[in-house]
Amino acid sequence: MFHEKYMLRCLELAASAIGYTAPNPMVGAVLTCDERIIGEGFHRRYGEPHAETNAINSVSDKELLKRSTLYVNLEPCSHHGKTPPCVDLIIEIRIPHVVTGCTDPNPLVAGRGIAKLRAAGVKVTENVLKEECERLNIRFMTFHRKKRPYIILKWAQTADGFIDVARDRNITGRPTWITGWYEQTLVHKWRSEEQAIMTGTNTAMADNPLLNVRRWHGRQPLRITIDRNLRLPKTLNLFDGSQPTIVFTEQSSSNIQYPISNIQYITVPFDKQLPHHILNELFNRKITSIFIEGGAMLLQTFIDADLWDEARIFTGKKLFGDGVKAPMIA
């Protein structure tokens, strides 16, 4: 059971960096000697040293490393990326035993790290708390296995099943709140944990959302909206240039006017495969997760295409009696 105990600590360390490591996974590492923790670390931010390096650097007596065990929730990397391969460092300082939680699904690794360690004479114990380790990095796993971002749908609906009152789709306004302050704050926390957030044309017009993290701390997500015919006014908050924003449109670049800093227009076909076109573009940009806070039409489009992984639904006590019906999940 001591393997599981130290792996749980790896998961605890790794999870503290949620929202900061993408498109890299969240990884924690623990070094033990004589069943005592002598060092630990985690991957804090994309582009910075990996968990294994931080754990090794935290050990005060480096001689202990030669008879230590390294616990890490994901297979150590074996390729050059933003940082050197962790496998090479492990072999160089002669750590004799490595315990991993799960295999890295990235084709650049995918078992090569474990194979390289064993070829160098390092004992490797695999798949300790595998299910928990894969769940922590479900975004990373989905991105590499399904070749698309991990998709979270979110909406709030009334007790009688509406997400909005009937409104003029061409008039910019404010959201019709169904939930309260605490739920809205939780949504901002969720936003900080994902790489991107998306809304549709009608919601962008009707609610004029900021789609940022202002009631929580953390990295601002990439904003994404859909504007098939370029009818969204440039006065909307989405076009304030405060954070990177992508607009998916059917119009060619020659029809796009008023370029704004931090705004990128991407032309895609608006056919039955629209969700696939959008996700392919995001995959190519290494977006591992997306939080969809659209209206009923956008949400239902992804539901009907079976392109979603989680649905987070608030049900309030209000009754609208009429309006925009909430999406339906079979």
PDB file of all heavy atoms in Angstrom, residues 266-300:
ATOM      1  N   ILE A 266     -11.228  32.817 -38.370  1.00  0.00           N
ATOM      2  CA  ILE A 266     -10.928  31.551 -39.033  1.00  0.00           C
ATOM      3  C   ILE A 266     -12.139  31.162 -39.883  1.00  0.00           C
ATOM      4  O   ILE A 266     -13.260  31.062 -39.383  1.00  0.00           O
ATOM      5  CB  ILE A 266     -10.619  30.434 -38.021  1.00  0.00           C
ATOM      6  CG1 ILE A 266      -9.389  30.807 -37.182  1.00  0.00           C
ATOM      7  CG2 ILE A 266     -10.386  29.107 -38.738  1.00  0.00           C
ATOM      8  CD1 ILE A 266      -9.077  29.806 -36.093  1.00  0.00           C
ATOM      9  N   THR A 267     -11.909  30.952 -41.161  1.00  0.00           N
ATOM     10  CA  THR A 267     -12.981  30.583 -42.076  1.00  0.00           C
ATOM     11  C   THR A 267     -13.134  29.070 -42.129  1.00  0.00           C
ATOM     12  O   THR A 267     -12.166  28.345 -42.392  1.00  0.00           O
ATOM     13  CB  THR A 267     -12.690  31.121 -43.492  1.00  0.00           C
ATOM     14  OG1 THR A 267     -12.551  32.547 -43.430  1.00  0.00           O
ATOM     15  CG2 THR A 267     -13.818  30.769 -44.447  1.00  0.00           C
ATOM     16  N   VAL A 268     -14.348  28.590 -41.855  1.00  0.00           N
ATOM     17  CA  VAL A 268     -14.659  27.153 -41.907  1.00  0.00           C
ATOM     18  C   VAL A 268     -16.006  26.968 -42.600  1.00  0.00           C
ATOM     19  O   VAL A 268     -16.836  27.884 -42.612  1.00  0.00           O
ATOM     20  CB  VAL A 268     -14.714  26.515 -40.497  1.00  0.00           C
ATOM     21  CG1 VAL A 268     -13.354  26.533 -39.824  1.00  0.00           C
ATOM     22  CG2 VAL A 268     -15.757  27.210 -39.641  1.00  0.00           C
ATOM     23  N   PRO A 269     -16.250  25.784 -43.184  1.00  0.00           N
ATOM     24  CA  PRO A 269     -17.563  25.529 -43.789  1.00  0.00           C
ATOM     25  C   PRO A 269     -18.641  25.410 -42.714  1.00  0.00           C
ATOM     26  O   PRO A 269     -18.448  24.737 -41.711  1.00  0.00           O
ATOM     27  CB  PRO A 269     -17.366  24.185 -44.511  1.00  0.00           C
ATOM     28  CG  PRO A 269     -15.891  23.975 -44.579  1.00  0.00           C
ATOM     29  CD  PRO A 269     -15.314  24.666 -43.401  1.00  0.00           C
ATOM     30  N   PHE A 270     -19.764  26.057 -42.921  1.00  0.00           N
ATOM     31  CA  PHE A 270     -20.886  25.978 -41.985  1.00  0.00           C
ATOM     32  C   PHE A 270     -21.879  24.925 -42.480  1.00  0.00           C
ATOM     33  O   PHE A 270     -23.004  25.213 -42.870  1.00  0.00           O
ATOM     34  CB  PHE A 270     -21.550  27.342 -41.821  1.00  0.00           C
ATOM     35  CG  PHE A 270     -20.921  28.187 -40.745  1.00  0.00           C
ATOM     36  CD1 PHE A 270     -19.598  28.575 -40.847  1.00  0.00           C
ATOM     37  CD2 PHE A 270     -21.634  28.574 -39.620  1.00  0.00           C
ATOM     38  CE1 PHE A 270     -18.996  29.345 -39.861  1.00  0.00           C
ATOM     39  CE2 PHE A 270     -21.041  29.340 -38.623  1.00  0.00           C
ATOM     40  CZ  PHE A 270     -19.726  29.728 -38.741  1.00  0.00           C
ATOM     41  N   ASP A 271     -21.431  23.666 -42.467  1.00  0.00           N
ATOM     42  CA  ASP A 271     -22.259  22.553 -42.887  1.00  0.00           C
ATOM     43  C   ASP A 271     -22.563  21.672 -41.677  1.00  0.00           C
ATOM     44  O   ASP A 271     -22.362  22.085 -40.534  1.00  0.00           O
ATOM     45  CB  ASP A 271     -21.578  21.762 -44.008  1.00  0.00           C
ATOM     46  CG  ASP A 271     -20.156  21.318 -43.624  1.00  0.00           C
ATOM     47  OD1 ASP A 271     -19.863  21.224 -42.409  1.00  0.00           O
ATOM     48  OD2 ASP A 271     -19.334  21.067 -44.530  1.00  0.00           O
ATOM     49  N   LYS A 272     -23.033  20.451 -41.913  1.00  0.00           N
ATOM     50  CA  LYS A 272     -23.381  19.558 -40.822  1.00  0.00           C
ATOM     51  C   LYS A 272     -22.173  19.143 -39.991  1.00  0.00           C
ATOM     52  O   LYS A 272     -22.325  18.659 -38.867  1.00  0.00           O
ATOM     53  CB  LYS A 272     -24.091  18.319 -41.373  1.00  0.00           C
ATOM     54  CG  LYS A 272     -25.463  18.604 -41.961  1.00  0.00           C
ATOM     55  CD  LYS A 272     -26.125  17.328 -42.444  1.00  0.00           C
ATOM     56  CE  LYS A 272     -27.513  17.612 -43.015  1.00  0.00           C
ATOM     57  NZ  LYS A 272     -28.169  16.370 -43.514  1.00  0.00           N
ATOM     58  N   GLN A 273     -20.992  19.330 -40.543  1.00  0.00           N
ATOM     59  CA  GLN A 273     -19.760  18.963 -39.846  1.00  0.00           C
ATOM     60  C   GLN A 273     -19.117  20.145 -39.120  1.00  0.00           C
ATOM     61  O   GLN A 273     -17.954  20.073 -38.740  1.00  0.00           O
ATOM     62  CB  GLN A 273     -18.760  18.370 -40.845  1.00  0.00           C
ATOM     63  CG  GLN A 273     -19.223  17.089 -41.513  1.00  0.00           C
ATOM     64  CD  GLN A 273     -19.441  15.980 -40.512  1.00  0.00           C
ATOM     65  OE1 GLN A 273     -18.581  15.695 -39.686  1.00  0.00           O
ATOM     66  NE2 GLN A 273     -20.600  15.338 -40.574  1.00  0.00           N
ATOM     67  N   LEU A 274     -19.888  21.215 -38.920  1.00  0.00           N
ATOM     68  CA  LEU A 274     -19.315  22.421 -38.296  1.00  0.00           C
ATOM     69  C   LEU A 274     -18.597  22.135 -36.977  1.00  0.00           C
ATOM     70  O   LEU A 274     -17.472  22.603 -36.784  1.00  0.00           O
ATOM     71  CB  LEU A 274     -20.407  23.476 -38.094  1.00  0.00           C
ATOM     72  CG  LEU A 274     -19.947  24.766 -37.393  1.00  0.00           C
ATOM     73  CD1 LEU A 274     -18.854  25.463 -38.190  1.00  0.00           C
ATOM     74  CD2 LEU A 274     -21.140  25.700 -37.168  1.00  0.00           C
ATOM     75  N   PRO A 275     -19.197  21.375 -36.040  1.00  0.00           N
ATOM     76  CA  PRO A 275     -18.465  21.103 -34.793  1.00  0.00           C
ATOM     77  C   PRO A 275     -17.120  20.422 -35.041  1.00  0.00           C
ATOM     78  O   PRO A 275     -16.129  20.734 -34.375  1.00  0.00           O
ATOM     79  CB  PRO A 275     -19.420  20.196 -34.013  1.00  0.00           C
ATOM     80  CG  PRO A 275     -20.765  20.489 -34.568  1.00  0.00           C
ATOM     81  CD  PRO A 275     -20.545  20.785 -36.014  1.00  0.00           C
ATOM     82  N   HIS A 276     -17.073  19.503 -36.001  1.00  0.00           N
ATOM     83  CA  HIS A 276     -15.822  18.822 -36.323  1.00  0.00           C
ATOM     84  C   HIS A 276     -14.797  19.798 -36.896  1.00  0.00           C
ATOM     85  O   HIS A 276     -13.605  19.732 -36.565  1.00  0.00           O
ATOM     86  CB  HIS A 276     -16.072  17.682 -37.317  1.00  0.00           C
ATOM     87  CG  HIS A 276     -16.879  16.557 -36.764  1.00  0.00           C
ATOM     88  ND1 HIS A 276     -16.321  15.534 -36.025  1.00  0.00           N
ATOM     89  CD2 HIS A 276     -18.218  16.306 -36.820  1.00  0.00           C
ATOM     90  CE1 HIS A 276     -17.271  14.688 -35.658  1.00  0.00           C
ATOM     91  NE2 HIS A 276     -18.428  15.128 -36.127  1.00  0.00           N
ATOM     92  N   HIS A 277     -15.250  20.710 -37.757  1.00  0.00           N
ATOM     93  CA  HIS A 277     -14.334  21.704 -38.331  1.00  0.00           C
ATOM     94  C   HIS A 277     -13.719  22.565 -37.227  1.00  0.00           C
ATOM     95  O   HIS A 277     -12.509  22.844 -37.232  1.00  0.00           O
ATOM     96  CB  HIS A 277     -15.068  22.603 -39.334  1.00  0.00           C
ATOM     97  CG  HIS A 277     -15.656  21.878 -40.497  1.00  0.00           C
ATOM     98  ND1 HIS A 277     -15.009  20.850 -41.140  1.00  0.00           N
ATOM     99  CD2 HIS A 277     -16.849  22.038 -41.142  1.00  0.00           C
ATOM    100  CE1 HIS A 277     -15.764  20.404 -42.126  1.00  0.00           C
ATOM    101  NE2 HIS A 277     -16.887  21.093 -42.147  1.00  0.00           N
ATOM    102  N   ILE A 278     -14.570  22.988 -36.294  1.00  0.00           N
ATOM    103  CA  ILE A 278     -14.089  23.830 -35.190  1.00  0.00           C
ATOM    104  C   ILE A 278     -13.092  23.068 -34.327  1.00  0.00           C
ATOM    105  O   ILE A 278     -12.009  23.579 -33.999  1.00  0.00           O
ATOM    106  CB  ILE A 278     -15.286  24.314 -34.344  1.00  0.00           C
ATOM    107  CG1 ILE A 278     -16.130  25.304 -35.142  1.00  0.00           C
ATOM    108  CG2 ILE A 278     -14.799  24.951 -33.039  1.00  0.00           C
ATOM    109  CD1 ILE A 278     -17.416  25.709 -34.447  1.00  0.00           C
ATOM    110  N   LEU A 279     -13.431  21.838 -33.973  1.00  0.00           N
ATOM    111  CA  LEU A 279     -12.559  21.056 -33.101  1.00  0.00           C
ATOM    112  C   LEU A 279     -11.242  20.701 -33.779  1.00  0.00           C
ATOM    113  O   LEU A 279     -10.193  20.658 -33.120  1.00  0.00           O
ATOM    114  CB  LEU A 279     -13.276  19.784 -32.644  1.00  0.00           C
ATOM    115  CG  LEU A 279     -14.517  20.005 -31.769  1.00  0.00           C
ATOM    116  CD1 LEU A 279     -15.163  18.681 -31.413  1.00  0.00           C
ATOM    117  CD2 LEU A 279     -14.160  20.788 -30.500  1.00  0.00           C
ATOM    118  N   ASN A 280     -11.266  20.462 -35.076  1.00  0.00           N
ATOM    119  CA  ASN A 280     -10.017  20.193 -35.807  1.00  0.00           C
ATOM    120  C   ASN A 280      -9.091  21.403 -35.753  1.00  0.00           C
ATOM    121  O   ASN A 280      -7.871  21.260 -35.576  1.00  0.00           O
ATOM    122  CB  ASN A 280     -10.317  19.824 -37.260  1.00  0.00           C
ATOM    123  CG  ASN A 280     -10.880  18.424 -37.403  1.00  0.00           C
ATOM    124  OD1 ASN A 280     -10.704  17.586 -36.520  1.00  0.00           O
ATOM    125  ND2 ASN A 280     -11.563  18.166 -38.500  1.00  0.00           N
ATOM    126  N   GLU A 281      -9.669  22.582 -35.927  1.00  0.00           N
ATOM    127  CA  GLU A 281      -8.856  23.801 -35.849  1.00  0.00           C
ATOM    128  C   GLU A 281      -8.259  23.976 -34.458  1.00  0.00           C
ATOM    129  O   GLU A 281      -7.085  24.342 -34.303  1.00  0.00           O
ATOM    130  CB  GLU A 281      -9.709  25.023 -36.216  1.00  0.00           C
ATOM    131  CG  GLU A 281     -10.110  25.117 -37.676  1.00  0.00           C
ATOM    132  CD  GLU A 281      -8.939  25.493 -38.575  1.00  0.00           C
ATOM    133  OE1 GLU A 281      -7.927  26.020 -38.055  1.00  0.00           O
ATOM    134  OE2 GLU A 281      -9.039  25.254 -39.793  1.00  0.00           O
ATOM    135  N   LEU A 282      -9.051  23.699 -33.424  1.00  0.00           N
ATOM    136  CA  LEU A 282      -8.564  23.850 -32.050  1.00  0.00           C
ATOM    137  C   LEU A 282      -7.522  22.796 -31.716  1.00  0.00           C
ATOM    138  O   LEU A 282      -6.545  23.074 -31.002  1.00  0.00           O
ATOM    139  CB  LEU A 282      -9.738  23.782 -31.071  1.00  0.00           C
ATOM    140  CG  LEU A 282     -10.790  24.884 -31.227  1.00  0.00           C
ATOM    141  CD1 LEU A 282     -11.905  24.702 -30.200  1.00  0.00           C
ATOM    142  CD2 LEU A 282     -10.162  26.265 -31.090  1.00  0.00           C
ATOM    143  N   PHE A 283      -7.704  21.583 -32.233  1.00  0.00           N
ATOM    144  CA  PHE A 283      -6.705  20.528 -32.022  1.00  0.00           C
ATOM    145  C   PHE A 283      -5.369  20.933 -32.628  1.00  0.00           C
ATOM    146  O   PHE A 283      -4.311  20.756 -32.000  1.00  0.00           O
ATOM    147  CB  PHE A 283      -7.196  19.215 -32.638  1.00  0.00           C
ATOM    148  CG  PHE A 283      -6.192  18.092 -32.542  1.00  0.00           C
ATOM    149  CD1 PHE A 283      -6.024  17.387 -31.354  1.00  0.00           C
ATOM    150  CD2 PHE A 283      -5.396  17.754 -33.627  1.00  0.00           C
ATOM    151  CE1 PHE A 283      -5.084  16.362 -31.256  1.00  0.00           C
ATOM    152  CE2 PHE A 283      -4.463  16.723 -33.544  1.00  0.00           C
ATOM    153  CZ  PHE A 283      -4.307  16.026 -32.353  1.00  0.00           C
ATOM    154  N   ASN A 284      -5.400  21.481 -33.825  1.00  0.00           N
ATOM    155  CA  ASN A 284      -4.161  21.910 -34.479  1.00  0.00           C
ATOM    156  C   ASN A 284      -3.483  23.042 -33.731  1.00  0.00           C
ATOM    157  O   ASN A 284      -2.270  23.245 -33.887  1.00  0.00           O
ATOM    158  CB  ASN A 284      -4.449  22.331 -35.916  1.00  0.00           C
ATOM    159  CG  ASN A 284      -4.845  21.165 -36.802  1.00  0.00           C
ATOM    160  OD1 ASN A 284      -4.466  20.027 -36.546  1.00  0.00           O
ATOM    161  ND2 ASN A 284      -5.628  21.437 -37.846  1.00  0.00           N
ATOM    162  N   ARG A 285      -4.236  23.766 -32.923  1.00  0.00           N
ATOM    163  CA  ARG A 285      -3.673  24.851 -32.111  1.00  0.00           C
ATOM    164  C   ARG A 285      -3.346  24.386 -30.689  1.00  0.00           C
ATOM    165  O   ARG A 285      -3.066  25.187 -29.819  1.00  0.00           O
ATOM    166  CB  ARG A 285      -4.651  26.037 -32.071  1.00  0.00           C
ATOM    167  CG  ARG A 285      -4.674  26.816 -33.371  1.00  0.00           C
ATOM    168  CD  ARG A 285      -5.866  27.756 -33.467  1.00  0.00           C
ATOM    169  NE  ARG A 285      -5.762  28.620 -34.636  1.00  0.00           N
ATOM    170  CZ  ARG A 285      -5.963  28.219 -35.900  1.00  0.00           C
ATOM    171  NH1 ARG A 285      -6.305  26.962 -36.142  1.00  0.00           N
ATOM    172  NH2 ARG A 285      -5.826  29.068 -36.907  1.00  0.00           N
ATOM    173  N   LYS A 286      -3.400  23.083 -30.462  1.00  0.00           N
ATOM    174  CA  LYS A 286      -3.065  22.461 -29.187  1.00  0.00           C
ATOM    175  C   LYS A 286      -3.941  22.955 -28.040  1.00  0.00           C
ATOM    176  O   LYS A 286      -3.476  23.149 -26.909  1.00  0.00           O
ATOM    177  CB  LYS A 286      -1.581  22.671 -28.861  1.00  0.00           C
ATOM    178  CG  LYS A 286      -0.638  21.997 -29.849  1.00  0.00           C
ATOM    179  CD  LYS A 286       0.814  22.146 -29.436  1.00  0.00           C
ATOM    180  CE  LYS A 286       1.734  21.423 -30.412  1.00  0.00           C
ATOM    181  NZ  LYS A 286       3.159  21.532 -30.030  1.00  0.00           N
ATOM    182  N   ILE A 287      -5.223  23.134 -28.327  1.00  0.00           N
ATOM    183  CA  ILE A 287      -6.191  23.469 -27.285  1.00  0.00           C
ATOM    184  C   ILE A 287      -6.721  22.158 -26.731  1.00  0.00           C
ATOM    185  O   ILE A 287      -7.442  21.425 -27.412  1.00  0.00           O
ATOM    186  CB  ILE A 287      -7.340  24.323 -27.849  1.00  0.00           C
ATOM    187  CG1 ILE A 287      -6.789  25.613 -28.489  1.00  0.00           C
ATOM    188  CG2 ILE A 287      -8.342  24.650 -26.749  1.00  0.00           C
ATOM    189  CD1 ILE A 287      -6.027  26.501 -27.545  1.00  0.00           C
ATOM    190  N   THR A 288      -6.378  21.837 -25.490  1.00  0.00           N
ATOM    191  CA  THR A 288      -6.727  20.530 -24.926  1.00  0.00           C
ATOM    192  C   THR A 288      -8.106  20.490 -24.287  1.00  0.00           C
ATOM    193  O   THR A 288      -8.643  19.407 -24.062  1.00  0.00           O
ATOM    194  CB  THR A 288      -5.688  20.099 -23.879  1.00  0.00           C
ATOM    195  OG1 THR A 288      -5.625  21.102 -22.848  1.00  0.00           O
ATOM    196  CG2 THR A 288      -4.307  19.936 -24.504  1.00  0.00           C
ATOM    197  N   SER A 289      -8.696  21.645 -23.976  1.00  0.00           N
ATOM    198  CA  SER A 289     -10.017  21.638 -23.347  1.00  0.00           C
ATOM    199  C   SER A 289     -10.777  22.896 -23.724  1.00  0.00           C
ATOM    200  O   SER A 289     -10.197  23.964 -23.936  1.00  0.00           O
ATOM    201  CB  SER A 289      -9.911  21.532 -21.824  1.00  0.00           C
ATOM    202  OG  SER A 289      -9.305  22.693 -21.277  1.00  0.00           O
ATOM    203  N   ILE A 290     -12.111  22.743 -23.770  1.00  0.00           N
ATOM    204  CA  ILE A 290     -12.969  23.879 -24.113  1.00  0.00           C
ATOM    205  C   ILE A 290     -14.225  23.832 -23.254  1.00  0.00           C
ATOM    206  O   ILE A 290     -14.821  22.770 -23.041  1.00  0.00           O
ATOM    207  CB  ILE A 290     -13.305  23.879 -25.619  1.00  0.00           C
ATOM    208  CG1 ILE A 290     -14.197  25.070 -25.975  1.00  0.00           C
ATOM    209  CG2 ILE A 290     -13.967  22.581 -26.046  1.00  0.00           C
ATOM    210  CD1 ILE A 290     -14.353  25.261 -27.461  1.00  0.00           C
ATOM    211  N   PHE A 291     -14.598  24.979 -22.747  1.00  0.00           N
ATOM    212  CA  PHE A 291     -15.771  25.156 -21.888  1.00  0.00           C
ATOM    213  C   PHE A 291     -16.823  25.862 -22.735  1.00  0.00           C
ATOM    214  O   PHE A 291     -16.628  27.008 -23.139  1.00  0.00           O
ATOM    215  CB  PHE A 291     -15.362  26.002 -20.683  1.00  0.00           C
ATOM    216  CG  PHE A 291     -16.312  25.965 -19.526  1.00  0.00           C
ATOM    217  CD1 PHE A 291     -16.594  24.776 -18.880  1.00  0.00           C
ATOM    218  CD2 PHE A 291     -16.900  27.125 -19.047  1.00  0.00           C
ATOM    219  CE1 PHE A 291     -17.449  24.740 -17.785  1.00  0.00           C
ATOM    220  CE2 PHE A 291     -17.749  27.109 -17.958  1.00  0.00           C
ATOM    221  CZ  PHE A 291     -18.037  25.908 -17.320  1.00  0.00           C
ATOM    222  N   ILE A 292     -17.922  25.194 -23.047  1.00  0.00           N
ATOM    223  CA  ILE A 292     -18.932  25.771 -23.933  1.00  0.00           C
ATOM    224  C   ILE A 292     -20.069  26.345 -23.106  1.00  0.00           C
ATOM    225  O   ILE A 292     -20.796  25.627 -22.431  1.00  0.00           O
ATOM    226  CB  ILE A 292     -19.459  24.725 -24.937  1.00  0.00           C
ATOM    227  CG1 ILE A 292     -18.302  24.186 -25.792  1.00  0.00           C
ATOM    228  CG2 ILE A 292     -20.538  25.352 -25.829  1.00  0.00           C
ATOM    229  CD1 ILE A 292     -18.728  23.180 -26.844  1.00  0.00           C
ATOM    230  N   GLU A 293     -20.195  27.670 -23.155  1.00  0.00           N
ATOM    231  CA  GLU A 293     -21.266  28.387 -22.457  1.00  0.00           C
ATOM    232  C   GLU A 293     -22.158  29.065 -23.487  1.00  0.00           C
ATOM    233  O   GLU A 293     -22.415  30.262 -23.413  1.00  0.00           O
ATOM    234  CB  GLU A 293     -20.688  29.436 -21.504  1.00  0.00           C
ATOM    235  CG  GLU A 293     -20.065  28.884 -20.246  1.00  0.00           C
ATOM    236  CD  GLU A 293     -19.815  29.975 -19.227  1.00  0.00           C
ATOM    237  OE1 GLU A 293     -20.788  30.608 -18.764  1.00  0.00           O
ATOM    238  OE2 GLU A 293     -18.648  30.206 -18.888  1.00  0.00           O
ATOM    239  N   GLY A 294     -22.609  28.317 -24.455  1.00  0.00           N
ATOM    240  CA  GLY A 294     -23.419  28.901 -25.515  1.00  0.00           C
ATOM    241  C   GLY A 294     -24.889  28.888 -25.196  1.00  0.00           C
ATOM    242  O   GLY A 294     -25.322  28.531 -24.094  1.00  0.00           O
ATOM    243  N   GLY A 295     -25.664  29.265 -26.195  1.00  0.00           N
ATOM    244  CA  GLY A 295     -27.101  29.170 -26.078  1.00  0.00           C
ATOM    245  C   GLY A 295     -27.560  27.760 -26.410  1.00  0.00           C
ATOM    246  O   GLY A 295     -26.747  26.853 -26.658  1.00  0.00           O
ATOM    247  N   ALA A 296     -28.874  27.575 -26.450  1.00  0.00           N
ATOM    248  CA  ALA A 296     -29.437  26.240 -26.669  1.00  0.00           C
ATOM    249  C   ALA A 296     -29.017  25.659 -28.007  1.00  0.00           C
ATOM    250  O   ALA A 296     -28.730  24.458 -28.115  1.00  0.00           O
ATOM    251  CB  ALA A 296     -30.961  26.308 -26.577  1.00  0.00           C
ATOM    252  N   MET A 297     -28.947  26.493 -29.048  1.00  0.00           N
ATOM    253  CA  MET A 297     -28.624  25.986 -30.381  1.00  0.00           C
ATOM    254  C   MET A 297     -27.204  25.439 -30.441  1.00  0.00           C
ATOM    255  O   MET A 297     -26.969  24.328 -30.934  1.00  0.00           O
ATOM    256  CB  MET A 297     -28.786  27.097 -31.425  1.00  0.00           C
ATOM    257  CG  MET A 297     -28.538  26.638 -32.856  1.00  0.00           C
ATOM    258  SD  MET A 297     -28.707  27.977 -34.067  1.00  0.00           S
ATOM    259  CE  MET A 297     -30.427  28.441 -33.816  1.00  0.00           C
ATOM    260  N   LEU A 298     -26.234  26.194 -29.913  1.00  0.00           N
ATOM    261  CA  LEU A 298     -24.841  25.748 -29.943  1.00  0.00           C
ATOM    262  C   LEU A 298     -24.652  24.498 -29.090  1.00  0.00           C
ATOM    263  O   LEU A 298     -24.017  23.524 -29.520  1.00  0.00           O
ATOM    264  CB  LEU A 298     -23.918  26.866 -29.450  1.00  0.00           C
ATOM    265  CG  LEU A 298     -22.423  26.530 -29.407  1.00  0.00           C
ATOM    266  CD1 LEU A 298     -21.889  26.254 -30.801  1.00  0.00           C
ATOM    267  CD2 LEU A 298     -21.638  27.664 -28.745  1.00  0.00           C
ATOM    268  N   LEU A 299     -25.203  24.511 -27.892  1.00  0.00           N
ATOM    269  CA  LEU A 299     -25.070  23.353 -26.999  1.00  0.00           C
ATOM    270  C   LEU A 299     -25.697  22.104 -27.621  1.00  0.00           C
ATOM    271  O   LEU A 299     -25.105  21.024 -27.603  1.00  0.00           O
ATOM    272  CB  LEU A 299     -25.722  23.660 -25.657  1.00  0.00           C
ATOM    273  CG  LEU A 299     -25.000  24.700 -24.789  1.00  0.00           C
ATOM    274  CD1 LEU A 299     -25.930  25.234 -23.715  1.00  0.00           C
ATOM    275  CD2 LEU A 299     -23.750  24.098 -24.156  1.00  0.00           C
ATOM    276  N   GLN A 300     -26.898  22.268 -28.187  1.00  0.00           N
ATOM    277  CA  GLN A 300     -27.581  21.117 -28.772  1.00  0.00           C
ATOM    278  C   GLN A 300     -26.839  20.574 -29.983  1.00  0.00           C
ATOM    279  O   GLN A 300     -26.849  19.360 -30.239  1.00  0.00           O
ATOM    280  CB  GLN A 300     -29.013  21.497 -29.167  1.00  0.00           C
ATOM    281  CG  GLN A 300     -29.904  20.287 -29.421  1.00  0.00           C
ATOM    282  CD  GLN A 300     -30.168  19.478 -28.158  1.00  0.00           C
ATOM    283  OE1 GLN A 300     -30.637  20.009 -27.154  1.00  0.00           O
ATOM    284  NE2 GLN A 300     -29.844  18.188 -28.200  1.00  0.00           N
TER     285      GLN A 300
END
